[in-house]
């Protein structure tokens, strides 16, 4: 039959030689490869006593950032949820009331913001989509658990603390372009209300 592609190969039906039939050289060769690995540096480490250093752009658990005055940056625009290929993000928006300016940066904020960590594939699309620099992935690991319902993370776990020592450092995730954008006070996004 004529092949539809040019990738087909003629199968060889060659008889095995006497050495090949004995299997001994193949077994010795396999053992040599195994012995060679005894003298190589081990690929494994004794976790959790020893921990590997993460790459600066490692994508771990998210953080919802506050601005320099401690107000939540997220304005519940929903762009992160739309960009999420796993549909892991859900939120409810609310209107800021007079007197809440110190809590929320914009007039609209997320009263509920949830990420289902079991759905998340840590692609970072939410971080890229956010126009407010509100959501970033970090080097924090999502802890394991045997109950599925514990993996829906709300604002209590996602929003960083107000105090200086509770802020999550995301400086290594910010590219030159992001920093330039952030410093451009002409842009509406960067103006403090
Ligand atoms: S990292 Fe990707 S999958 Fe996870 S919440 Fe963000 S956009 Fe969705
Ligand atoms: S995290 Fe960013 S993209 Fe997502 S709703 Fe908040 S402001 Fe919008």
């Amino acid at each position: 039959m004529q092949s539809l592609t040019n990738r087909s190969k003629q199968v060889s039906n060659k008889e095995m030689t006497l050495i090949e039939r004995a299997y001994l050289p193949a077994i010795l060769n396999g053992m040599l490869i195994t012995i060679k690995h005894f003298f190589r540096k081990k690929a494994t480490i004794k976790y959790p006593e020893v921990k590997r250093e993460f790459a600066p752009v490692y994508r771990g658990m998210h953080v919802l950032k506050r601005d320099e005055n401690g107000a939540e940056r997220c304005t519940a625009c929903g762009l992160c949820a739309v960009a999420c290929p796993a549909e892991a993000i859900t939120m409810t928006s609310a209107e800021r009331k007079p007197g809440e300016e110190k809590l929320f940066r914009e007039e609209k904020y997320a009263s509920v913001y949830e990420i289902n960590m079991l759905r998340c594939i840590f692609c970072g699309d939410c971080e890229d989509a956010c126009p407010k620099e509100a959501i970033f992935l970090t080097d924090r690991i999502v802890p394991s658990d045997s109950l599925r319902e514990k993996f829906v993370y709300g604002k209590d776990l996602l929003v960083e603390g107000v105090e200086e020592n509770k802020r999550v450092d995301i400086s290594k995730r910010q590219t030159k372009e992001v920093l330039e954008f952030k410093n451009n006070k002409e842009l509406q996004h960067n103006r403090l209300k």
Side-chain angles (χ1 to χ4, degrees):
M1 196 192 293
Q2 197 185 348
S3 160
L4 289 177
T5 68
N6 58 0
R7 294 197 297 271
S8 61
K9 283 183 189 162
Q10 193 72 36
V11 178
S12 159
N13 202 14
K14 181 173 79 70
E15 289 266 310
M16 285 207 285
T17 63
L18 191 64
I19 294 175
E20 281 169 342
R21 275 175 208 228
Y23 291 115
L24 210 57
I27 292 169
L28 284 174
N29 197 21
M31 284 176 75
L32 264 177
I33 292 170
T34 307
I35 291 165
K36 252 197 294 185
H37 281 275
F38 283 136
F39 304 102
R40 289 202 182 147
K41 196 170 167 243
K42 286 185 180 56
T44 50
I45 56 157
K46 287 185 181 169
Y47 184 84
E49 290 84 12
V50 184
K51 285 180 186 153
R52 285 198 203 283
E53 211 176 291
F54 289 164
V57 288
Y58 173 84
R59 296 192 193 118
M61 187 177 137
H62 316 61
V63 63
L64 284 173
K65 294 294 290 173
R66 294 176 183 277
D67 70 7
E68 46 282 29
N69 300 324
E72 288 178 22
R73 297 183 75 94
C74 176
T75 186
C77 65
L79 283 175
C80 52
V82 173
C84 177
E87 299 199 13
I89 304 177
T90 49
M91 72 193 70
T92 308
S93 61
E95 203 177 327
R96 185 178 71 185
K97 294 187 184 64
E100 290 183 335
E101 291 77 8
K102 284 200 173 131
L103 299 176
F104 311 111
R105 196 169 191 254
E106 316 259 348
E107 292 88 350
K108 191 157 78 86
Y109 69 95
S111 56
V112 178
Y113 190 107
E114 289 178 342
I115 302 180
N116 186 331
M117 292 297 174
L118 292 178
R119 297 186 70 119
C120 175
I121 52 170
F122 299 93
C123 62
D125 282 4
C126 48
E127 179 180 320
D128 288 345
C130 181
K132 302 289 176 181
E133 290 187 66
I135 189 163
F136 286 91
L137 277 71
T138 67
D139 60 356
R140 298 179 300 168
I141 293 176
V142 177
S144 58
D145 204 288
S146 53
L147 296 173
R148 294 182 70 84
E149 55 265 33
K150 290 198 177 168
F151 286 98
V152 177
Y153 279 28
K155 283 180 72 176
D156 53 331
L157 294 170
L158 295 171
V159 180
E160 67 179 346
V162 182
E163 299 87 354
E164 203 53 48
N165 61 349
K166 292 197 177 146
R167 295 296 180 108
V168 181
D169 182 17
I170 44 89
S171 53
K172 287 185 185 146
R173 302 196 64 79
Q174 292 184 305
T175 59
K176 194 169 136 276
E177 291 76 21
V178 170
L179 288 171
E180 273 169 18
F181 170 82
K182 194 174 171 185
N183 288 329
N184 188 347
K185 300 292 176 206
E186 294 300 306
L187 294 170
Q188 186 72 21
H189 299 132
N190 296 328
R191 284 192 211 139
L192 275 178
K193 302 283 180 299

